[in-house]
Structures are given as C-alpha cells and as structure tokens.
Amino acid sequence: MITSREEDYLEAIYNLIRKKGYAKTTHIAVELDIKPASVTEMLQKLDSKGYINYRKSEGAVLTKVGYKIGEAVRGRHKALLSLLMVLDVPEQMADKDACNMEHNLHPITIVQLKKFVSFVEHCPKGLPDWLACFREYSKTGKFPDECKK
Ligand code: MN
C-alpha cells in the first residue's frame, strides 16, 4: 500500500521533472515545504519500494510505476483544484485543499469529477448559465432573477 505522503512525494517529483528535467532533494524540500533532511529519508524509502531511483548527487528519477502514480496524483490534483475554483474557493486555498483531497478517492469518483470539470471548462456554449447564477449567488447570497424564470 502507498501512503498519502508517498503520493505527495511522487507528485512533487513528477512536477519537478516536468518543469526542470530533474528532481534534487533541495527542490523537493522546497516543493513540499519541508526540511531536506526528512526528504532524504523518504527518498530512500521510495527507492526501496521501487517508485524511484535515488542517487545522492542527482536526486530522484521516477521508475515506470512511480511515474504512473505521480501522473495520476497530478491529474487528481488538477481536477480537484478546478472543482474548488468552480465553487469560488480562492486559488491558494483550493490548491492546498486539493492536495489534501487527492488521496483515497474512489476511481469512479475521480472519473466523474474529471467529467464534471471538463464539462464546465469545455461546454461549447461557454460558461454554463447555472454556474454564472451560482457565482452571483455565492457573492450576494441572493438568487439572481435568471433563477426565478
Ligand atoms: Mn497535490
């Protein structure tokens, strides 16, 4: 079994490799906002579990399995971030909470979540009417006239 913390690491390593092409201990520590010493210990653990190849000088390289997990966690994070922002949660909070919510969701929940976000973002008619109404309701606490028709 993989823990939420391990998933966070694999996501952070995945993000760093996409951005920089490599993931060094110091960068992982910054990405996760923790001390480099605790990163080293976890990287050794992730290596022994077969998720990464860890070398002190070069940092972490994802194995095939580790890459798949990092990519999946990133996908869940993005979908949850979008969902929370659709709900008018400010981006910084939404980003933090997405990271807490992205673990332990049922695969079907994730599929439906992604469908919902994709619908809202890519509906050919543009921003759905009900969402515009919700935005106004969220700000004013009152149902806009559009809802009463
Ligand atoms: Mn995350």
Side-chain angles (χ1 to χ4, degrees):
M1 266 309 280
I2 187 159
T3 66
S4 301
R5 200 65 193 135
E6 288 165 1
E7 284 194 342
D8 282 337
Y9 268 78
L10 293 177
E11 185 193 16
I13 294 164
Y14 175 86
N15 288 340
L16 283 168
I17 288 172
R18 280 194 55 182
K19 266 187 274 177
K20 295 172 177 282
Y22 54 87
K24 291 194 174 177
T25 309
T26 46
H27 300 136
I28 297 166
V30 171
E31 184 92 357
L32 292 168
D33 198 19
I34 48 177
K35 290 193 187 100
S38 39
V39 173
T40 304
E41 198 180 321
M42 179 60 112
L43 292 182
Q44 283 159 354
K45 191 176 166 203
L46 290 171
D47 185 301
S48 73
K49 284 183 132 187
Y51 297 131
I52 65 167
N53 288 311
Y54 170 60
R55 274 181 214 96
K56 263 207 172 100
S57 53
E58 297 147 78
V61 179
L62 291 166
T63 62
K64 212 170 174 184
V65 181
Y67 183 90
K68 275 240 150 84
I69 296 168
E71 190 180 39
V73 177
R74 177 71 197 147
R76 282 181 249 154
H77 184 115
K78 273 172 67 183
L80 284 158
L81 174 64
S82 300
L83 176 73
L84 294 173
M85 288 181 70
V86 163
L87 298 177
D88 264 349
V89 177
E91 185 169 2
Q92 266 200 319
M93 278 174 239
D95 194 45
K96 199 163 174 262
D97 281 345
C99 229
N100 283 319
M101 294 164 76
E102 73 202 7
H103 315 287
N104 308 313
L105 292 175
H106 193 284
I108 291 174
T109 305
I110 296 161
V111 168
Q112 288 308 113
L113 188 67
K114 287 184 177 169
K115 280 188 202 164
F116 179 76
V117 167
S118 171
F119 174 81
V120 168
E121 288 178 349
H122 305 297
C123 174
K125 276 179 78 180
L127 189 73
D129 293 344
W130 59 264
L131 186 53
C133 288
F134 169 73
R135 292 255 161 94
E136 195 175 329
Y137 177 79
S138 168
K139 279 193 193 84
T140 65
K142 293 187 181 104
F143 288 99
D145 292 341
E146 186 68 25
C147 293
K148 294 167 190 161
K149 280 177 198 159

